[in-house]
């Protein structure tokens, strides 16, 4: 059942929203008596997932989620633990706790189970803050009743929208440069230089980036806040790496005293990668090159030099690059096989896996597609994992944990 309504106020300590027009969205299903309502302070916006309006909210604001009819037995025996997770616009799924720990780039916190007990009436209310690391788009909030084995399950949708006024600009301006030359295009691996003028002399100026999907990214530590010169000038820099997605970015500078805001726009592009050599690579699951999150994909390589190290990296649907631990080709046949367990924290879409021989310099690319899972994410196992023993019967056993994410050449250079 789906129902839309507007309410002007509600209780449960949500006094900051009193007298503000609220959006509320209710969703259940024919198989479940459970219901979820979402209250936000910004009315409604189109949801691309449902092609219908859903409650809207800005980053940094909080929403109220009401879960109802989650009891299994009649009172007073009815409190049921409800597991809550959030499906992002790109298909990633996080528990509520993990969703608050995103960094806007790697976004791989462990999905530790998030469950709360209802009251004797089968009701539960949660206040959830939307951080700047959440992109714009339509989200799905799902509550699964654990005592009922998931029979009590319901969802509701809400939309994170661009918000806030740009603020006064005064005389402040900034420009994006590359090697001292003004530019609106840079490549992964290059350093963006930012110069600003027109701020109040001596004031602190804050900098941040807005990624193509609306995610807010801080400049590296020590560079988020710069003190302007007596003449009101500032300068800083940011190195874009393979882990940053491609697309149109905005850099924002905010004078902490003046309130002046200035913007510069540019496009980040990936470096071209050209396959070379006769090596072959395929990525499959048992039934083809497409499977849902929480599946094991098998990557098979052939015609590499016998025994050579093979470097692997993954290109995400948004163009970001992730390095995997290297493997080694068979010392006689020059073949290898690794297992890639890709979980719900990764976006759905079209992926590319690249393999490069460290000695032969052969480079080959294979493609596959990751689709949406409907499984619960109660398992807090830190995945994805990768198996390196070339035995398809052995489960993956090495955590997907880049020890030096700042080094884009660590597992082979995709730009070579």
């Amino acid at each position: 059942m789906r129902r839309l309504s507007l309410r002007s106020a509600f209780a449960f300590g949500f006094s900051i929203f009193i007298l503000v027009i609220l959006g509320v969205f209710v969703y259940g299903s024919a198989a479940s008596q459970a219901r979820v309502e979402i209250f936000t302070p910004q009315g409604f916006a189109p949801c691309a997932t449902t092609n219908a309006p859903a409650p809207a909210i800005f980053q940094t604001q909080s929403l109220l989620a009401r879960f109802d009819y989650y009891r299994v037995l009649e009172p007073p025996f009815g409190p049921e633990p409800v597991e809550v997770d959030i499906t992002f616009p790109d298909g990633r799924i996080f528990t509520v706790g993990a969703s608050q720990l995103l960094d806007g780039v790697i976004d791989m916190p462990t999905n530790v189970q998030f469950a709360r007990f209802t009251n004797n009436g089968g009701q539960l209310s949660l206040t959830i803050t939307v951080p700047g690391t959440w992109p714009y788009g339509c989200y799905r909030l799902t509550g699964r009743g654990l005592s009922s084995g998931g029979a009590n399950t319901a969802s509701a949708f809400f939309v994170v929208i661009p918000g806030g006024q740009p603020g006064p600009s005064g005389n402040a301006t900034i420009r994006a440069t590359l090697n001292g030359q003004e530019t609106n295009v840079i490549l992964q691996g290059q350093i963006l230089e930012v110069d600003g003028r027109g701020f109040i002399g001596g004031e602190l100026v804050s900098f941040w980036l807005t990624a193509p999907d609306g995610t807010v990214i801080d400049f590296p530590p020590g560079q988020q806040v710069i003190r302007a010169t007596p003449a009101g000038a500032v300068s800083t820099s940011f190195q874009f790496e393979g882990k940053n997605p491609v697309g149109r970015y905005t850099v924002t500078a905010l004078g902490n005293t003046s309130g002046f805001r200035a913007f510069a726009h540019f496009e980040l592009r990936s470096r071209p990668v050209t396959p070379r050599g006769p090596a072959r690579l395929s990525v499959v699951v048992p039934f083809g090159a497409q499977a849902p999150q929480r599946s094991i994909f098998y990557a098979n390589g052939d015609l590499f030099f016998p025994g050579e190290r093979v470097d692997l990296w993954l290109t995400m649907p948004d163009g970001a690059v992730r390095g995997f631990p290297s493997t080694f080709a068979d010392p006689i046949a020059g073949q290898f096989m690794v297992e890639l367990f890709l979980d719900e924290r990764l976006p759905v879409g079209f992926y590319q896996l690249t393999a490069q021989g460290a000695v032969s310099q052969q480079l080959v690319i294979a493609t596959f597609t990751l689709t949406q899972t409907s499984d619960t994410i109660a398992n807090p196992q830190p995945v994805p994992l990768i198996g390196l023993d070339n035995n398809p019967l052995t489960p993956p056993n090495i955590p997907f944990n880049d020890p030096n994410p700042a080094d884009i050449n660590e597992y082979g250079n995709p730009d070579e």
Side-chain angles (χ1 to χ4, degrees):
M1 181 180 70
R2 188 172 293 166
R3 184 178 66 197
L4 296 174
S5 65
L6 286 174
R7 300 186 180 182
S8 59
F10 54 90
F12 297 96
F14 220 63
S15 59
I16 59 172
F17 290 161
I18 293 178
L19 301 181
V20 179
I21 295 178
L22 303 177
V24 56
F25 189 82
V26 185
Y27 176 82
S29 69
S32 173
Q33 297 299 316
R35 185 173 67 181
V36 178
E37 298 174 278
I38 293 180
F39 301 85
T40 66
Q42 300 299 334
F44 291 87
C47 170
T49 305
T50 63
N51 293 318
I57 192 168
F58 295 152
Q59 292 166 329
T60 73
Q61 292 185 329
S62 297
L63 61 83
L64 178 68
R66 167 76 66 79
F67 302 81
D68 205 352
Y69 300 106
Y70 274 89
R71 65 174 181 265
V72 179
L73 302 173
E74 293 299 322
F77 307 104
E80 179 175 24
V82 179
E83 177 191 81
V84 182
D85 57 56
I86 304 170
T87 302
F88 278 50
D90 58 7
R92 294 175 294 161
I93 309 175
F94 295 100
T95 56
V96 173
S99 73
Q100 301 298 307
L101 302 176
L102 306 183
D103 62 13
V105 181
I106 299 299
D107 288 340
M108 296 295 286
T110 300
N111 263 328
V112 177
Q113 184 177 14
F114 183 94
R116 296 291 185 270
F117 278 92
T118 64
N119 61 16
N120 286 336
Q123 298 173 316
L124 170 69
S125 290
L126 294 177
T127 301
I128 301 173
T129 299
V130 177
T133 51
W134 289 19
Y136 304 143
C138 190
Y139 291 72
R140 178 172 183 158
L141 182 71
T142 301
R144 298 181 179 88
L146 299 182
S147 297
S148 60
N152 289 337
T153 296
S155 299
F157 297 87
F158 64 94
V159 183
V160 177
I161 59 175
Q165 298 298 320
S169 61
N171 295 321
T173 60
I174 59 173
R175 64 170 189 161
T177 64
L178 178 65
N179 298 323
Q181 302 299 312
E182 191 165 1
T183 183
N184 58 5
V185 175
I186 66 171
L187 301 178
Q188 289 172 327
Q190 293 183 324
I191 297 176
L192 175 76
E193 302 153 350
V194 180
D195 297 307
R197 300 292 185 270
F199 294 93
I200 293 178
E203 75 169 322
L204 294 175
V205 180
S206 300
F207 289 87
W208 64 88
L209 291 165
T210 302
D213 64 0
T215 299
V216 178
I217 305 171
D218 287 334
F219 271 63
Q223 294 184 337
Q224 295 98 326
V225 180
I226 306 295
R227 186 174 296 279
T229 67
V234 291
S235 63
T236 186
S237 62
F238 183 91
Q239 182 170 9
F240 283 90
E241 301 165 356
K243 63 186 179 183
N244 297 113
V246 299
R248 187 175 186 268
Y249 284 76
T250 300
V251 57
T252 302
L254 170 65
N256 294 0
T257 300
S258 64
F260 293 164
R261 291 176 185 258
F263 307 92
H265 306 284
F266 59 93
E267 182 180 355
L268 180 66
R269 298 177 182 175
S270 59
R271 293 179 181 270
V273 177
T274 303
R276 53 181 176 267
R280 296 193 293 254
L281 181 69
S282 62
V283 180
V284 298
V285 287
F287 300 102
Q290 176 175 308
Q293 297 156 321
R294 304 193 69 82
S295 297
I296 294 179
F297 290 80
Y298 298 95
N300 299 283
D302 192 14
L303 298 180
F304 287 89
F305 283 10
E308 76 170 324
R309 190 188 80 237
V310 180
D311 300 319
L312 303 169
W313 60 89
L314 194 67
T315 302
M316 315 279 276
D318 61 7
V321 177
R322 300 286 186 272
F324 274 114
S326 300
T327 189
F328 289 88
D330 182 272
I332 297 176
Q335 300 170 333
F336 71 85
M337 194 214 68
V338 296
E339 303 162 355
L340 313 175
F341 181 42
L342 307 180
D343 75 358
E344 72 284 341
R345 297 173 299 173
L346 295 174
V348 300
F350 182 78
Y351 283 75
Q352 298 180 79
L353 179 69
T354 303
Q356 178 176 294
V359 178
S360 66
Q361 289 298 295
Q362 295 185 96
L363 187 148
V364 61
I365 300 172
T367 62
F368 63 96
T369 301
L370 192 64
T371 60
Q372 188 77 66
T373 184
S374 58
D375 294 339
T376 178
I377 59 172
N379 184 358
Q381 183 184 24
V383 288
L385 303 177
I386 180 170
L388 296 178
D389 60 359
N390 291 340
N391 183 353
L393 301 179
T394 303
N397 54 9
I398 298 179
F400 179 84
N401 187 8
D402 191 341
N404 187 11
D407 183 2
I408 62 173
N409 298 324
E410 182 180 6
Y411 301 122
N413 184 0
D415 303 329
E416 289 181 350

